[in-house]
Amino acid sequence: MSGETGDVPHYCAGGAADRLDGVTDPALEISGLTVRYGVGPGATVAVDGLDLRIPRGETVALLGPNGAGKSTTVNAVLGLVRYTGDVRVLGRAPAEAVRAGDVGAMLQHGGLPSEARVGEVLDLVRRSSPRSWPLPDLVATTGIDGLLRRPVEDLSGGQRQRVLLALALAGRPPLLLLDEPTSAMDVEGRRAFWTTMRGLAEGGTTVVFATHHLEEADAVADRVVVVAGGRVVADGSAAQVKAGTSGSTITFAAAPDDHLDDLPGVGALTRRGATVEIATTDPEQTLRALLAGGRRLPGLQVRGASLEEAVLTLTTATPIGAEQ
Amino acid sequence: MSALFLFQLRRMGRNRQFLFFTVALPALFTVFFATVFGQTSDTGYQDYAAATMVSMMAYGAMGAALGATIRIAFDRASGWLRQLRVTPVPPSSVVGVEVAVGVLLTLPSLVAVALVGRLVTGVDLPLGTWLLLVAVLWAGSAVFVAIGLLLGLALEQKAAGGAIGIVGTVLALLGGLWVPVELFPSGLQAVAHALPSYWYAELGRDVAAGEAPSPLAVAVLVASTVAAGGLAAAVARRRPLHAVAG
């Protein structure tokens, strides 16, 4: 991780998870990744000098709003878009890594062929892979038992996603990239999917997934990388991202004429009837000031920010409280 | 390469519509035309039956070559080509397999119609001529593989679906595969002479008549194949196979 991006909060010690013996290449190393769509004055910059290093064995969520650059980053790692900068997948260039079976992926706009059976599609990829996953094990892991002879057209939405996962895993890749993998799944399907992912991660597979489901990132990932405007704006565990960014919220009841100006650490102050809500970066100082005059604070609550609030803070240009 | 080739062949083999339009329909037309118009033809039954058979061989092979290759537009639209691009299946083999499948699938049409011509409508040619006829029409079908690939790479799914029927029909009709060009008004004859389908059938008519393929027909077909192939390559460069849209 480059040290010169001083304004980006990094919370993890890079390289700590390089635990495979004798193998030093990280699963993914991206430096200065820039992707432009279009040319001339109408061109947009989707990814703007993004740096990211993911050691082997980590489960990482790429989190951010639509248009943040998550999908484009995933597509660059797979060699699907032109980019400048450097991308190394287990030490190889993207196209080479795909060809070597080092990376498997579930894409946002990926699909299955018509006029084919599930088993035939899996067979094609397994035959083309340098090392393939034994079929019975692959079928059991991805929950596609009974589907192998099924024509692709006859699959339900959830079955389709599982087949796409099986396809991504067919070559037994050490790195798995998932772009919004659960967007077409129901609650039950999601739960089963993430259980499968945890199993893979425990088996040593590096899993990188782009999502805007914060609860998924919170529940599944070892590490959350928040992307906004084509750059990494925060990087750490879900707890670290939450704690390190937007601070806390203090709520209590107060009379409308109670003056609450000039409190330290306060970002935003909102009144809803008798309830006052204060967003603060330093809850202790704010509380000391509030209590200093012997003021009573009925219904006092202090809570940390949710990951959602943290991400919102990180990915919007104006900090919380800049407008009331 | 071979895994993808077999995979693609199996998919095409499952497409009943494809088999009907490229094998069954031209074979049925061969019998129909010879039976209905053969006896009253000015040129005599034998010549008429042979000419009809050659036209239907050309029609079937053209439909097979176009139909097999235009379908690449469907695989792009479904996201399959994009998915395939992130598997270890080598991307460079995708177009190569498409061409190989297109080339191979013209053979059933050629052989089926030739067999019907020989066994049902009684077209009488020396064995060497039969073999040469199939070989020459097989080689010549490369032009339709190239045109189909060009259309499949350039068109969106819906347009491609329409193009399979429309392009095949227009080339067949105006190229004189259903009605001999000699019966066309002179303006339409000029149009026919500008189409590869006319020269493709001309190749077959030359061979069936026991002559060498006319150099003009060969030149037009080679030039058309190179032009369509070059355009297809240019389109593929501008719009990679894994691009879903745009």
Side-chain angles (χ1 to χ4, degrees), chain A residues 75 78-80 95 98-99 101 103 105 107 109-117 120-121 124-125 127-130 164 167, chain B residues 3-5 7 10-12 14-15 71 74-75 78-91 237 240 242 244:
Chain A
N75 290 339
L78 293 166
L80 292 173
V98 169
R99 184 74 190 90
V103 53
L107 303 168
H109 300 289
L112 294 168
S114 58
E115 287 149 355
R117 294 181 196 280
E120 293 167 0
V121 184
L124 169 67
V125 177
R127 276 168 194 274
S128 309
S129 302
L164 284 167
L167 214 54
Chain B
L4 184 60
F5 180 69
F7 177 77
R10 201 174 296 143
R11 290 177 68 199
M12 288 307 299
R14 219 167 251 148
N15 191 322
R71 309 178 64 79
F74 304 163
D75 283 346
S78 71
W80 168 235
L81 290 180
R82 192 171 176 83
Q83 186 66 47
L84 198 59
R85 180 64 183 67
V86 298
T87 70
V89 175
R237 248 196 313 278
H242 58 260
V244 174

Side-chain angles (χ1 to χ4, degrees), chain A residues 17 27 90 128 163 181 283:
Chain A
L90 292 129
S128 309
V163 170

Side-chain angles (χ1 to χ4, degrees), chain A residues 2-3 58 61 71 78 80 83 115 122 124 139 163 167 176 207 219 237 274 289 294 299 305:
Chain A
S2 57
E58 276 193 353
S71 285
L78 293 166
L80 292 173
Y83 62 85
E115 287 149 355
L122 282 180
L124 169 67
V139 165
V163 170
L167 214 54
L176 187 58
V207 180
S237 71

Side-chain angles (χ1 to χ4, degrees), chain A residues 147-196:
Chain A
L147 297 183
L148 291 182
R149 295 201 44 78
R150 181 96 45 105
V152 162
E153 289 89 342
D154 296 350
L155 296 173
S156 73
Q159 290 169 338
R160 223 181 149 73
Q161 291 296 103
R162 293 208 291 280
V163 170
L164 284 167
L165 173 64
L167 214 54
L169 292 172
R172 196 152 218 168
L175 170 63
L176 187 58
L177 288 179
L178 310 163
D179 194 0
E180 308 273 358
T182 60
S183 54
M185 294 180 194
D186 58 16
V187 177
E188 188 51 45
R190 269 173 207 204
R191 203 192 334 258
F193 180 84
W194 290 118
T195 304
T196 307

